[in-house]
Amino acid sequence: MSAPLRVGVVGAGKISGVYLDTLTRQPETTVTAVADLDPARAGAAAARAGARATTVAELCAAEDVDLVLNLTVPAAHAEVALLAIAGGKHVYGEKPLAATTAEARAVLAAAGAAGVRVGCAPDTVLGTGTQTARALLDAGEIGTPFAATAFMTTPGHELWHPDPEFYYRPGGGPLYDMGPYHLSALVTLLGPVRRVTGLAATPRPERTVATGPRAGEGFRSEVPTHVTGLLEHHGGAVSTLLMSFEVWAARLPHIEVYGTAGSLSVPDPNDFDGPVALHRAGARDWEPVAPLAGLPGAARGHGVADLARALAAGTPHRASAGLALHVLDVMECLTAAAATGSPVGTTTTCERPAAVRGQDFQKRNR
């Protein structure tokens, strides 16, 4: 077995804990350094991982760092990625890949010139939920898929996050914050998107921090907080997407896929696992489906471990920059379509990532 991939973490905020826990448990990875704008926060995270605390510049140049895990806010994703690439490091970042497709393309161009890899969250699609659904689709269990729905509704992240403003700035909002989960799942299930149209609104532009030492402080959203879209996939299927920071309560599925011979219920793509159910044409009830594929017990950080395995084997990694760029392109096109009221064609495409098979899945006898 090759030596573990040495990971330096930039950004020690709320999401870093689960990454550190995952990466310190995986044989493919080890955490060697942590950097954050807040030295005390970097020190605490470094102690958690048995690593050292340092600065961003030193980490990106360090000889004992092979890959920079970029957990900064979306507006800084491209800047940190470019600094890491300039230091000869592979990069894996939180979603979105960058604030704009122009920034993302600059990151990929720099990585190509440097001969390093770029990966990007979400890696939730590697879990048993989405992968079991994909196995059913690929086995033809619902016939030819022709449509899908994907919904994410919440009243807003200011209800639980003590510093929520970045969720309401460019690169944030329900589409850019939560859309990557649902869009990555839809592309994994149905393939890339050719064209989009949509509408957006901001019913409550004034928001209030609800928790922590800043509770009661107000701020203003700079991005739409309710977005709906129609996505036309290259394969012909049409997906309906709804992303909202405005809905107080709803009874909507996370993702459903509709085919000529049945329907498929897919769990929350913000999680790795969850219940999958199949409804065959003419059946009376939904049929629960036990996990058939995917990484069991996975958590954030498994995309980095998958990248480490791919580097060692010389194969493509699944949470790829190509997928992340296409998802960002879809979100950018949807934003433009909502602003103009006209359909917008995507300028990118990607391959469906390789399936994650927990075991060989043969089509079941009916």
Side-chain angles (χ1 to χ4, degrees), residues 258-357:
Y258 312 113
T260 54
S263 297
L264 186 61
S265 176
V266 185
D268 187 352
N270 192 17
D271 296 327
F272 286 82
D273 50 17
V276 177
L278 174 67
H279 196 291
R280 303 180 190 279
R284 291 176 59 88
D285 299 308
W286 288 88
E287 170 191 344
V289 180
L292 298 165
L295 299 174
R300 282 164 173 79
H302 273 81
V304 181
D306 179 77
L307 192 155
R309 289 190 293 270
L311 276 170
T315 58
H317 55 286
R318 292 179 173 88
S320 70
L323 173 60
L325 174 62
H326 182 60
V327 166
L328 180 59
D329 184 22
V330 171
M331 295 190 297
E332 207 168 74
C333 290
L334 180 50
T335 301
T340 63
S342 300
V344 177
T346 58
T347 60
T348 65
T349 188
C350 67
E351 298 292 330
R352 289 173 80 201
V356 182
R357 301 293 191 188

